Structure formats: C-alpha cells, structure tokens
Amino acid sequence: MTGAVSPDRRRFLAAGAAVLGAAASAQLWLPTSARAAETPLPDGVFNLGVSSGDPLPDGIVLWTRLAPDPLNGGGMPDRVVPVEWEIAEDARFGKTLRRGIAPARPELGHSVHVDVRGLRPGREYWYRFRTSGQISATGRTRTAPHATSSGGRLRVALASCQNWQNGYFTPYADMLVQDPDFVLFIGDYIYESAPSGAGPRRHEGTGEPYSLVQYRNRYAQYRSDPDLLAMHAHTPWVVTFDDHEVDNDWAGEIPQDPDKQPHDAFVARLTAAFQAYYEHMPVRASAVPNGPHIQMYRRLEFGPLMRLNVLDTRQFRSDQATTQAGAEDPAMTMMGAEQKAWLLRGLKHSPARWNVVASQIMMAETDILLGPGKEWFYDAWDGYQVERNALLEDFTSVRNPLVLSGDRHLTMISDLKEDFADPDSDVVGAEFVGTSISSNGDQDQAAFHAQWDPLMADNPHWKVIDAHRGYHLFDIRKDGIDAKVRVVDTVLKPTATPSTYASLRVESDDPGVRVV
C-alpha cells in the first residue's frame, strides 16, 4: 500500500522515471536495491501489454506495468525493478534512437511511465521494454505534427464507455484496421459495478472496488481484452476519465450514495481510484495523483491544424441538479472557475484551424419531453444551463469549435446552438457524442428508434441518433472534417462485423454538421 508515501514523494518518483526516459544511453546507475532485481521474476511480467500517449511534436509517453499475476494485485516482489526501454525508427529496432532504464516501483504498482523527448515531429516510432530476461510486445506510436507544418490530415478515433460485463470490445478490431493517428478516450475505461452473471463476461472480484488493490485488479482485467490490448500497442492514446473509473455519478467529493459512503470513506476511494488510473494510463508525471486529486485537464497541439482541450467534468462540478430550477441555478458549475478560465483562454487565443473540446458528457440540449415544454437530462451539460449557455456564446468568437463527447451509450450528433431556447439562434459549432464500445450491449434498435425518433422534432439540432456499439472516426483537414460512425453488429461474441452507419461533414468556417 502507499499510505506512507507522501504526494510530493510520489511526484518525485514519477518525475524520476521521466528524467530517465529522456536519457540517450542505457548506462544509467540505479541504487543497489534496484539492481538487486536481477533475481529472476515470474514469467509473464508483460501480461498487460504496452501503450503510448499524449503525443508532442518531440515526445511521447511510453507505458507498461509489470504484472505476472494481474488479477491478484500483480504478483510482483516488493522491490524496485529496473526496466530497459528503447524506441526506434523501425519495427526491427535496427535504428534505435533512444534507450534507457526506468524504475518500476511497488509504490506505483510496478508501472512504468517513460516521457521520451528528442523525437522528430509527425513520425512513426516503435518501442519495447525488457526486464529479467523477458521482453514485451512491440508497440508502435507517432509524434504530433510540428507547430509550423502545413496541410496534411489527422485521423482521430473517438471512444468511450467499455463495460466488460456488457460485451467484448470488438469495435477496437475495426479501429485497428482504420489506423488512426491517435485514440481519444473520454471516459468509463472501467466500470466499478459488482460481478454479475447476466452478460457474456463477468467482473473479477466479489464486489465493487474500493481499495487500491481492487482497482488494480479491475484495470488488469480490462486490459486483458485482446482487441483493447492490440489497439493500445498500435497507436498513441489521449485519455481522460468520467464517473465509472470511481463511482457512478460522483461529483467533486460527493459519491452517488452519500448515505452509504461517508465523506472520509469516499475520499479514500477517490485516492485509490486515481492512483490505479494513473498506474494504468500512458500519461505524464503531471498526472501523478495528490491524494484524492489528479490533474487531468490539459491541452495538446497538433500543428496549426488542431488544438485539443481535454476537460475534467467530474472533479470540479457541482452535484448534479434534480429539477429544472436546479439546472438553471447560476451557481452550478461543471468545470470550476479555474478550469473554465483555462479553457476560454485556450479557445480564444488559439492559432489552430480546429479547436476541439473533449468533454466527457453531452453539451447539446436533450429535451426528453414530447411536445411543448422541456425536460432535460441532468447528468449532462443540460444540468448546468447557465455555464453551458455562456460557453456556447463564447464559441461565437472561436474558430471552428468542435465538441467530442461520450457517456450516453448512444450516437448523438448535433449542431451546437448559441441559445437552445431560441430555435432561430445561430449555430456556433458541432458536437459528436460517441456511442459506447460495449456498454448497454446489443440494444434493440427498433425499440430505441421507437422511443427516440419522436423526440427529433423537439430537438431539431440533432442530425444523427443511433444505439449501435462502436466509435467515431474523423479525418481532419484544413478545409473540413469527414466523420464516420463506425459500428459493429454485436459485442456479445469475441468477433464482429463492422460497417459505417453514417457519414458526416463539417466545413471549415461554416459552423454545424451535415449528413453526407
């Protein structure tokens, strides 16, 4: 356990791994205690695979976690283990560019985060890890374009909501074939629900995770999915979390069920959940948790083509409203003052052609009341009306704002209106709410459309709604974005047949989205 390790010490340990990652030589000295890890480790230390993330023009984060017994705490000895890493310009490692040694520490679940710098922009690289005579699978990654690059295309896959018990992660097999430049995963990487025999797969353990070891085991189970494993190794990821990485519908330090989870107990749960999240994600040392807090909102640049603003809509939000009056309370906040100011600065002073906001939850209005009047879905931006409406007004002075969201387990693609109360108000942007990878399983499509199609008249900004499982794929160019809703015929079996459900187009400097 890590209770005796201070937040500052944890940050120091992770930052140390980043420093080692920047070194160009494997001839690095570690303490004697770390070198003692030459004692052979159990077989299968790289069971959880490899991953990369948060691409920069000159850098990338490389990740692995040593776990020979992944569903039982990891199965590693309680000591620091030196792990060799290398990154090359070719898949056979004939042209190794950087190599070094990173410490896999028990305080961080024997995870390894290497922040490699000194790379060239817009290039493919291959990487791998080695320890105790064992070598990892080879990963492939890619750096971001140079800040002054011209033209080109960026292919992005949008994914969210992968519930192990609801189905297999079959959409990733198709995503692999589509070969995106990076995957944007915007929440619900794991689900905290207790094991159930109702679906095709069953969660490990005996109940919901609360402790660090329990969260580690849950992440390890999810990372054993072969399609997810392959997609992580194939392309870099940019990640953030929503609610199920901790507890359904939590907000700030408020759990879903305060009567069952006292404040101190929930803070301890947040602390465990955030540490396990960091240990399993390819993120930089800036995301090392400080107890029940983790820094996840951040900005990534992809040349002059795109600026990506990744939000955190959980840690700083007010507890969600339960009434219309509550949703219209000006004190309600989704982002908190500091994050909101950060976002607006980044949007209004952006040099990029496309200004993308990764928001865990839907921003466009959802009126679920058929006919006159409105009834909103409160666990979305609809529950934070004043802040949402002000943000949409700010979008009028932002070039090509695009919101990419998740959470709903549905595809909902919309125009963003300056004022949803006024049907004639200007369109200020577009939003793609991605469907889920597996959550909700194989839905009854006829039943879905019977329920939701009548609501289209009350929500004229909706362009496409659907309930298939899958992901969204974007080809981003200077003149416009071509988007596809990629779906699979089933997640109840380990293999599936993919197809394109809908194709859409967003034109540069012409707000809104249209079906092709």
Side-chain angles (χ1 to χ4, degrees), residues 99-112:
R99 58 163 57 95
I101 297 175
R105 301 182 182 275
E107 303 95 319
L108 294 173
H110 289 99
S111 62
V112 175

Side-chain angles (χ1 to χ4, degrees), residues 297 299 307 309 337-351 355 391 394 398:
Y297 71 81
R299 184 172 293 125
R307 168 172 281 185
N309 303 276
E338 184 176 326
Q339 182 178 195
K340 180 181 178 180
W342 166 87
L343 175 62
L344 292 178
R345 286 195 304 270
L347 290 173
K348 292 186 175 181
H349 301 289
S350 171
N355 288 284
L391 180 58
D394 286 321
V398 176

Side-chain angles (χ1 to χ4, degrees), residues 54-56 238 284 298-302 306-308 310:
D54 277 14
L56 303 175
V238 176
R284 290 192 162 81
R298 62 203 189 280
R299 184 172 293 125
L300 294 166
E301 311 284 353
F302 295 87
M306 187 180 84
R307 168 172 281 185
L308 175 62
V310 181

Side-chain angles (χ1 to χ4, degrees), residues 42-48 65-77 109-110 213 216-217 220 280:
D43 291 339
V45 292
F46 294 111
N47 279 328
L48 300 183
R65 179 186 167 216
L66 308 184
D69 192 5
L71 299 187
N72 292 287
M76 286 290 291
H110 289 99
V213 170
R216 283 172 175 168
N217 292 345
H280 290 86

Side-chain angles (χ1 to χ4, degrees), residues 14 17-18 61-64 102-103 108 111-115 277-285:
V61 177
L62 307 181
W63 173 93
T64 192
L108 294 173
S111 62
V112 175
H113 297 75
V114 182
D115 191 350
Y277 184 83
Y278 171 78
E279 290 174 354
H280 290 86
M281 294 295 136
V283 291
R284 290 192 162 81

Side-chain angles (χ1 to χ4, degrees), residues 163 165 190-196 202-219 221-222 243-250 255-257 260-261 265-266 269 272-273:
N163 190 321
Q165 299 193 135
I190 63 166
Y191 278 69
E192 85 294 0
S193 48
S196 168
R202 184 182 179 90
H203 274 152
E204 53 72 41
T206 58
E208 292 191 17
Y210 291 90
S211 71
L212 177 56
V213 170
Q214 289 173 322
Y215 276 107
R216 283 172 175 168
N217 292 345
R218 186 61 56 89
Y219 275 101
Q221 182 181 45
Y222 274 59
D243 54 341
H244 289 290
E245 287 87 351
V246 181
D247 179 39
N248 184 49
D249 286 350
W250 66 278
Q256 180 187 30
D257 48 1
K260 297 179 182 179
Q261 295 185 75
F266 186 65
R269 189 179 193 183

Side-chain angles (χ1 to χ4, degrees), residues 160-163 185-193 208-209 215 219 240-252 254-256 261 266 269-270 273-274 277 311-315 317 319-320 334 359-361 377 379-380 406-409 439:
S160 63
C161 304
Q162 50 191 29
N163 190 321
F185 192 93
I186 52 172
D188 295 345
Y189 190 95
I190 63 166
Y191 278 69
E192 85 294 0
S193 48
E208 292 191 17
Y215 276 107
Y219 275 101
T240 188
F241 54 76
D242 193 22
D243 54 341
H244 289 290
E245 287 87 351
V246 181
D247 179 39
N248 184 49
D249 286 350
W250 66 278
I254 303 171
Q256 180 187 30
Q261 295 185 75
F266 186 65
R269 189 179 193 183
L270 280 171
F274 286 162
Y277 184 83
L311 298 188
D312 174 351
T313 61
R314 283 288 164 188
Q315 286 193 89
R317 69 157 69 179
D319 196 13
Q320 69 189 53
M334 179 70 73
S359 167
Q360 290 74 29
I361 58 174
F377 184 75
D379 187 24
D407 179 65
R408 298 296 295 273
H409 307 167
S439 301

